[in-house]
Amino acid sequence: MNSLRIKILNRSGAFFLLILKRNPCKMNPLLQHFNTAPFSKITAKDYKPAIKEAIEIAKKEIDAIVQNTSAPSFENTTEALDFSGDKLQRISSIFFNVNAAETSDEIQKIAKEIAPWLSEFSNDIMLNAPLFERVKTVYEQRKNLELNPEQQMLLEKQYKGFSRNGANLNNTDKTSLRKIDAQLSQLSLQFGENVLAETNAFELHLTNSTDLAGLPESVCEAAAQLAKQEGKEGWIFTLDFPSYIPFLTYADNRELRKKMAIAAGKKGFQDNAFNNEENVLQIVNLRHQRAKLLGYKSHAHFVLEERMAETPEKVFSFSNDLLAKAKPAAEKEFIHLAEFAKKRDGIDQLEKWDGAYYSEKLKKELFDLDQELLKPYFQLENVIDGVFKIAKNLYDLVFEEVFDIDTYHPDVKTYRVTGSNNAFVAVFYADFHPRKGKRNGAWMTSYKSQYVKEGINERPHVSIVCNFTKPTDTKPSLLTFNEVTTLFHEFGHALHGMLANTHYTSLSGTSVPWDFVELPSQVLENWCYEKEALALFAKHYKTGELIPMNYVEKIKESASFHEGMQTLRQLSFGLLDMKWHSEDPSKITSVKALENEAFAETQLYPDVPENCMSTSFSHIFQGGYSAGYYSYKWAEVLDADAFEYFLEKGIFNKEVATLFKEHILSKGGTEKPMELYKRFRGQEPKPEALLKRAGLV
Ligand SMILES: [Zn+2]
C-alpha cells in the first residue's frame, strides 16, 4: 500500500489510472482527488480506511519537513507545516459534518474509534522534538526574515502552538506538565460526571393536578410521559433544562419553584459522593501550576494571551466598566419587578425562584406579542432570498442555486457564489430542516477552507445547518422571529468563511480568536430589526403585505426587556470565572466563600446558603470556557459598536461594508483582532452602542 499513498499525494491523474487498474474494487472515493465532497459515492465503511490513510500521508509530509537537509526556512518549515495534513483535514471535515447532520449508529461508532487516532496524531506532532527545533530556528530568525504581517502571524501562532504545550521545557518539567494534563482531564471528566449524576438524582414527582397551575400544556404532557416511562402516576419534573426552565418560568406554586431552584443550586455542593468542591479547588490549582510552569502569571494570563482581550486586566476593566453602567438599570428593573410581584401576589422579598416567573408575567403584560402573528411574514424562501439580497447590497455577492453538486441528503441546497466581475467566490451549502440523524441547533461549518497555494486562490466550501420549521402539505415553511435571527447569525459566520482571502488555512475565515469569532455572525442579526432590510423580504406569504413596523418595534423592545439584570447576571459569571483563574488559588479553602466575594458587586437576590454556582459551573470546569466566559458580553459590545457605524452611515452604505469586508471578513486571523477592528472602525470598540441598544442609557 505504500506506493498508493505516495501516488495519491502527487494528485496526478495518471497515477490514479494506475491504481484503478491495479485495485479495481478498492477505490475509496475519499482517497481520490475531488473538488466538492463526493457524498453520493461515500459509504460509511470508507471513512476508517480513508482517515487511517490520510494520517499516514500527513505523517509522511511531516517527516519530509523534519528530514529536509536544507537549513530551516519559512518556506520549507513554517509554510510546509501549515500545508501538511490537507487531505486529512478534508476527509475528517466531511466525516464530522456528516456525523452532525446525517448520522447513524454506524457513523457514531466510527466517530468513537477515530477520535483517539486523531488526538494521538496531533499529540505526536506536538511532541515531535526535531520538528519543534526547526520551527524554533525559524522563529528565532523572524526579525531578519522580512516577513509580511500574515507570515509573522503564522510563524508566531505555530511556535506558540508548541511552546504553550511545553515544547521549551526541560524533561523534568515536561513530565510534570504531562502529569498535570492527565490529572486535569481526569478531574474535569469527574466534575462533569458528578454534575450529571446530581442532575439525574433529583426529580419532582407530582400527583395533584392543582400543582401544575400555570404550566403550559406541552410541558405537562412531557412530565406525564416521563412519569409513565417510570411506571408512576402523575407528573415528573427534572433538573434537565427543557423541564426545569419552564417550571421556574411558569409554575404558580411558589413552594415548588423553591424546591426545584434549591435542588438545582445544590448540584455538586451536597455532602455525598458527587460533591465537586474538592474538584474545583484541585482544577484551579493545577491550572495555575501549569501556567506557572509555562512562564505565565496565572491561568487567565495563559488563556488570554491568544484572545482579542489579551490580558486579565483588560477583561476586568471591560467587565467593571460595563458593570458600572448596567448596574443602575439592573437595580431599577429589580425594584420594579419586586413591586410588580408585591402588587400581584403580595410577595415581600423577591427570591431567586421568583425572578423568571414574575419577569415572564411582566413581559406578557408589557409586550404581548403572539409569535403566530409574525410567522406568515417569514416564509423561509423569502428570508433566504432576503439574506442573499443583503449580501449583494453589502458585498456584491450573487448566489445561484445549482443542482450539479453532490450532497449528503436531498434536502440540502447548493449554491455557486460569485462576486464582482463574476469571479467565483465559494460553494455554499444550506441544510434547513430537522430530521432523524441531525443534531439540534444551528451551525456553520466548512468542507474546504480558503487558501493560496502555488499562486492559486483555492476558494472555500461553506455550509450552514439549521433545524427550522418544516413545510407541510398546506403551508410553506414559516419561520419564527428567533429562527430568522438564527439564519442571519449562521449566514454571518458563512460570510466570514466565504469572503476569506488569506494565504494560510490556519489563519483563514473563522480561524480567529474566540472572543472575535462571533462578530460577523452577531452583527448581521442587526439587519433583522431594520425597516430597510425587512422591506426586502418580510412579506406576508399569502397577501404579499409588508410586515407592520409596530410588530418590529415590539420585537425590538421585548428583546431588550430586563437587559440590565441579564447583563449583571452574565457579568457575574464572567467575574466569577476570572476570580478563579487570575490569581494564585493555593490559599483558597472555601469554594462558597470565594464565590460570595466574587458576587459581591453583582448580587440582586438574597444568597441561598445551601447553594453554590461553581460546583456545577460546567462551562469553566468541564468545557473549554475557563477565563473565557466574558466573551459572551465582549462579542455583544463588538457587534453593537460595529453596527453603530452602519447605522451612522446607512445600513447598506458601501463604504462601511467595504471596510468591514476588507479589514474583518476577508482577513481571518492574519493579524491581531484589535488591529483589524481599529482599521475598520477607526477606534477601539466602546460599550456605549450596546448600552444604547439594550436601553440601558
Ligand atoms: Zn455563532
Side-chain angles (χ1 to χ4, degrees), residues 442-444 486 489-490 492-493 517-522 525:
W443 60 94
M444 167 267 184
T486 301
H489 181 104
E490 299 311 330
H493 281 310
V517 74
E518 295 300 331
L519 169 61
S521 53
Q522 288 182 188
E525 289 182 45

Side-chain angles (χ1 to χ4, degrees), residues 3 46 67 70 74 119 124 158 169 197 247 338 347 426 448 458 460 555 560 580 613 643 657 691 693 695-696:
S3 60
D46 292 325
Q67 283 153 17
S70 314
F74 183 82
S119 61
D124 285 350
Q158 212 170 72
L169 299 179
F247 198 92
I347 303 289
K448 179 188 173 194
E458 295 279 348
I555 300 170
S560 62
W580 277 122
M613 159 98 196
F643 188 62
L691 296 166
R693 185 174 74 187
L696 299 181

Side-chain angles (χ1 to χ4, degrees), residues 414-473:
T414 53
Y415 302 83
R416 194 183 131 83
V417 188
T418 50
S420 44
N421 305 328
N422 236 342
F424 174 61
V425 170
V427 170
F428 178 61
Y429 298 82
D431 178 3
F432 289 120
H433 301 297
R435 59 176 172 263
K436 197 169 166 277
K438 192 196 270 193
R439 73 171 161 89
N440 292 331
W443 60 94
M444 167 267 184
T445 179
S446 79
Y447 290 99
K448 179 188 173 194
S449 49
Q450 178 275 336
Y451 58 91
V452 177
K453 197 173 180 184
E454 283 151 19
I456 296 169
N457 192 333
E458 295 279 348
R459 299 308 307 167
H461 302 168
V462 168
S463 166
I464 61 172
V465 187
C466 314
N467 278 284
F468 294 152
T469 316
K470 274 182 107 150
T472 65
D473 289 343

